[in-house]
Amino acid sequence: MSEPNRGGRPRSSRSTDAVLSATRDLLAEVGYERMTIDAIAAKSGVGKMTIYRWWSSKSAIVADAVIEGVITIAPFSFPDTGDLRADLHAWLMPAVGLATPPEVAALALAMTAATTGDVRTGEALYERFTGRDRQALIDRLQKEVDSGRLGSDVDLSVAVDMLFGVLLYRLVTRAEPSEQYARDLTDLVVGGLET
Amino acid sequence: MSEPNRGGRPRSSRSTDAVLSATRDLLAEVGYERMTIDAIAAKSGVGKMTIYRWWSSKSAIVADAVIEGVITIAPFSFPDTGDLRADLHAWLMPAVGLATPPEVAALALAMTAATTGDVRTGEALYERFTGRDRQALIDRLQKEVDSGRLGSDVDLSVAVDMLFGVLLYRLVTRAEPSEQYARDLTDLVVGGLET
Amino acid sequence: MSEPNRGGRPRSSRSTDAVLSATRDLLAEVGYERMTIDAIAAKSGVGKMTIYRWWSSKSAIVADAVIEGVITIAPFSFPDTGDLRADLHAWLMPAVGLATPPEVAALALAMTAATTGDVRTGEALYERFTGRDRQALIDRLQKEVDSGRLGSDVDLSVAVDMLFGVLLYRLVTRAEPSEQYARDLTDLVVGGLET
Amino acid sequence: MSEPNRGGRPRSSRSTDAVLSATRDLLAEVGYERMTIDAIAAKSGVGKMTIYRWWSSKSAIVADAVIEGVITIAPFSFPDTGDLRADLHAWLMPAVGLATPPEVAALALAMTAATTGDVRTGEALYERFTGRDRQALIDRLQKEVDSGRLGSDVDLSVAVDMLFGVLLYRLVTRAEPSEQYARDLTDLVVGGLET
DNA sequence: TCGTAAGCGAGACGGTACGTCCGGTCTTTTC
DNA sequence: GAAAAGACCGGACGTACCGTCTCGCTTACGA
């Protein structure tokens, strides 16, 4: 039971796609701050009015691009070798141990910037951007709890928040990646959970 | 052995103060994004040229205001009752357990926004904004290590990063404050360190 | 013996009427410059495409409205009492002697504006708008020539041009109406023709 | 006793000149309707804000250009050979007898268009644009009256209105120039005045 | 003591991008 | 197959700030 849609030209999916693609490209090229709506319109070949008809702000476009999957981060696939410490370390390496790919870093900063100015898009955006990895991580930890290798005292989402939090913190402070850091972080978190 | 300074009117401290105060007020009123240099000039009664003579960007002004102490956060004084768990919980409460004062939240978001666009001011700014508390926290933890109540395996700064990181993460995601959260966080961190 | 018209919905006279009426109303409300095709479509309830199907431009709609009699100027009925001077004075009075009705003035200015930008519609428009009065005036003057009360030397259309010209000139310069002016004008024209 | 001018960079006469010159050129190139403020800004190298700071509308710029003498019409110098009929005929020839220079025609139409949309600029504009010739013509006619060759009954300005009026009328209706027309017009006006 | 040189407020300047509006076209469903 | 509805691209609109540039006016050394 969809909309009655009484007359009128339907929304062009071509325009939507073109806008989101152009946004993805421009984000990579010039970054969030220097990306302008005029440039998105020019690059996508979509009229500015059409953009403003469907999105309320620059951050809303970015959020939509993330939600629609036009902007994707390489999936931090979370391994499951049975050894939590090794798995966590492997998962952390790209983010804090080795150089994060610049486009991922730029995107994360872009979203952080978008978030600071607008509560609503921020929520949706973080949810979508980190949701999948959050859940994968929580599932992995829960499995350890179920098998008795971890205590069941603490809310696992708190542990996950700490991991994502430290990633974000090091991102905005532009901390240098370090393998030792990944190891220390792993020890700390697993140590806290094992209690 | 100061500058030769042959003649000329010296820099007016009145102008500096007026600019930093106006910046502090405007940050609270409209937030970082919507605060303009024109507005700072108008509110402070200082000419735009004078502002640009002494500061290179909006984020530089904010950074200076923090550094000069014109913008202050209520000092998260770190207690020392001898009970680390109790102390940590007490310290975390204002940030994640109870409502963070809006002006502090707005300021932290402002600095985060400033950081995303400009690497250098970001570093100085975070250093100054969190440096004192970071050091106090590290000192407190080191004391526990020295007295043998905590293991000496992990770099304490990693633990501190996690704490500041989760604070930042919950700030940008606008997470609701919760006393239970403060307790879980305390358990997790102390648990990890005690190992 | 009408059009073949195989199938299809016939042109709606309701639409035509609605467009022309809306044009008339909008001209009076906001003037020619600020009247938009969008507004005509909205007010008339007619689709923009339908408007563009039948009219090529804003001035074409106005011209059609004049031609179809939807927009009418109070007929400057040219009297014929046998006394040319009195008749001419009576005819001029509304235009330069007394206040011209604002809607007539606005319409004449609208057409002048339309004319300045588009040669073709301008010609048709002026022809239609002033044609009837021009001819009535020429006929009246010719009658005087035929009866010998006026000389036959000059082209009467020149005299008529002068009359319409001065009307237009005073319209665009927003000259104040004046009874004396009507009298002077009459004297001048009749004087010139009597020679 | 000029303005005190307390502080601030003074208005740049260079900008004013550049805007008015660009306006003059664009009027000749594309006409009043198709001339945009953006184009004036681009061609003159003056910021749009600066234009809007000093002029309220497109017609205001045109009016100013005329008033400042940046836009000039070749002076219809009014001859004085002692023979009014010959002089009048000579004066009329360029306007209605021979082809009016296109740039003058375009300019006059531009001003007419400007006038139809804005009362105030219209008044100032016509006054400046036609004022000099009006006065020269009136002076010439007055001389004839003084020497008794013309009657003193009618207001001379009415006669002048008729001449300018018929010029405007033929301009907006795009009437073809014609030498015969100039002759008929001369006869008519002089005939009316001689009475 | 007084010239002089830099700092200062004010605010105009050339730009860039904004978000809105309208012109003219295109594409649906409805009649 | 025309009409309504309304989304579409393009482009001008008038505004807001940016960072720079004069101005005329303080200051407070140092000659």
Side-chain angles (χ1 to χ4, degrees), chain D:
Chain D
M1 290 307 133
S2 69
E3 286 266 322
N5 189 18
R6 307 213 295 100
R9 180 178 178 172
R11 177 171 179 178
S12 159
S13 63
R14 199 211 126 272
S15 295
T16 306
D17 296 345
V19 166
L20 299 185
S21 299
T23 300
R24 185 225 308 125
D25 295 347
L26 284 169
L27 267 185
E29 287 171 23
V30 301
Y32 182 79
E33 292 275 357
R34 284 195 295 276
M35 177 176 70
T36 66
I37 304 244
D38 276 359
I40 294 174
K43 193 178 190 95
S44 64
V46 167
K48 258 205 303 181
M49 260 323 276
T50 302
I51 295 179
Y52 281 107
R53 198 193 323 275
W54 300 114
W55 295 278
S56 61
S57 66
K58 189 164 70 167
S59 57
I61 304 175
V62 174
D64 210 27
V66 172
I67 290 168
E68 294 299 321
V70 175
I71 292 176
T72 50
I73 53 172
F76 290 123
S77 64
F78 196 81
D80 185 356
T81 64
D83 178 353
L84 176 62
R85 198 171 293 257
D87 291 349
L88 199 51
H89 184 256
W91 181 80
L92 281 170
M93 278 299 286
V96 300
L98 300 172
T100 307
E103 68 274 12
V104 173
L107 180 55
L109 281 173
M111 291 193 315
T112 304
T115 298
T116 60
D118 181 359
V119 177
R120 286 177 306 169
T121 62
E123 287 172 358
L125 209 153
Y126 265 98
E127 166 58 26
R128 175 60 67 148
F129 196 54
T130 63
R132 190 180 36 177
D133 289 298
R134 276 186 67 89
Q135 197 53 52
L137 193 42
I138 288 177
D139 290 346
R140 180 70 180 80
L141 294 176
Q142 187 62 49
K143 193 172 154 193
E144 295 287 314
V145 170
D146 293 344
S147 63
R149 284 192 292 275
L150 286 183
S152 60
D153 300 4
V154 293
D155 188 340
L156 292 179
S157 71
V158 176
V160 173
D161 280 1
M162 289 186 71
L163 285 166
F164 278 98
V166 77
L167 262 49
L168 176 63
Y169 186 71
R170 287 179 66 84
L171 180 69
V172 296
T173 57
R174 267 78 167 189
E176 287 295 313
S178 142
E179 187 168 351
Q180 179 62 42
Y181 198 94
R183 205 169 307 129
D184 288 343
L185 202 50
T186 305
D187 290 345
L188 196 56
V189 171
V190 177
L193 292 168
E194 280 174 349
T195 314

Side-chain angles (χ1 to χ4, degrees), chain A residues 4-192:
Chain A
N5 189 16
R6 310 211 294 98
R9 179 180 181 170
R11 177 171 177 180
S12 160
S13 62
R14 200 210 125 272
S15 295
T16 305
D17 296 347
V19 166
L20 298 185
S21 299
T23 299
R24 184 224 310 124
D25 296 347
L26 285 169
L27 265 186
E29 287 171 24
V30 301
Y32 181 79
E33 292 276 356
R34 282 195 297 277
M35 176 177 69
T36 67
I37 304 246
D38 276 359
I40 294 174
K43 193 178 191 90
S44 64
V46 167
K48 251 200 313 178
M49 256 327 271
T50 302
I51 295 179
Y52 281 106
R53 200 195 317 277
W54 300 114
W55 295 279
S56 62
S57 67
K58 190 165 68 167
S59 56
I61 304 176
V62 174
D64 211 27
V66 172
I67 290 169
E68 294 299 321
V70 175
I71 293 176
T72 51
I73 56 171
F76 290 125
S77 65
F78 196 80
D80 184 357
T81 64
D83 178 352
L84 176 62
R85 198 172 294 261
D87 291 349
L88 200 52
H89 183 258
W91 181 79
L92 280 170
M93 279 299 287
V96 300
L98 300 173
T100 306
E103 67 273 13
V104 174
L107 181 54
L109 282 173
M111 292 193 313
T112 304
T115 298
T116 60
D118 180 0
V119 176
R120 285 176 307 167
T121 63
E123 287 172 356
L125 211 153
Y126 265 99
E127 165 59 25
R128 175 61 65 153
F129 195 56
T130 64
R132 192 179 34 177
D133 288 296
R134 277 185 66 90
Q135 196 56 49
L137 192 43
I138 287 176
D139 290 346
R140 181 68 180 82
L141 293 176
Q142 187 62 48
K143 194 173 153 194
E144 295 286 314
V145 170
D146 293 344
S147 63
R149 282 191 292 275
L150 286 184
S152 59
D153 301 5
V154 293
D155 188 341
L156 293 178
S157 72
V158 177
V160 174
D161 279 0
M162 288 185 69
L163 284 166
F164 278 98
V166 78
L167 262 50
L168 176 62
Y169 185 70
R170 288 178 66 84
L171 180 69
V172 298
T173 56
R174 265 78 167 190
E176 287 296 313
S178 142
E179 186 169 352
Q180 179 61 42
Y181 198 93
R183 204 170 305 128
D184 288 344
L185 202 50
T186 304
D187 289 346
L188 195 57
V189 171
V190 176

Side-chain angles (χ1 to χ4, degrees), chain C residues 108-119:
Chain C
L109 282 173
M111 291 193 313
T112 303
T115 297
T116 59
D118 179 0
V119 177

Side-chain angles (χ1 to χ4, degrees), chain B residues 150-161:
Chain B
L150 286 183
S152 60
D153 301 5
V154 293
D155 188 339
L156 292 178
S157 71
V158 177
V160 173
D161 279 0

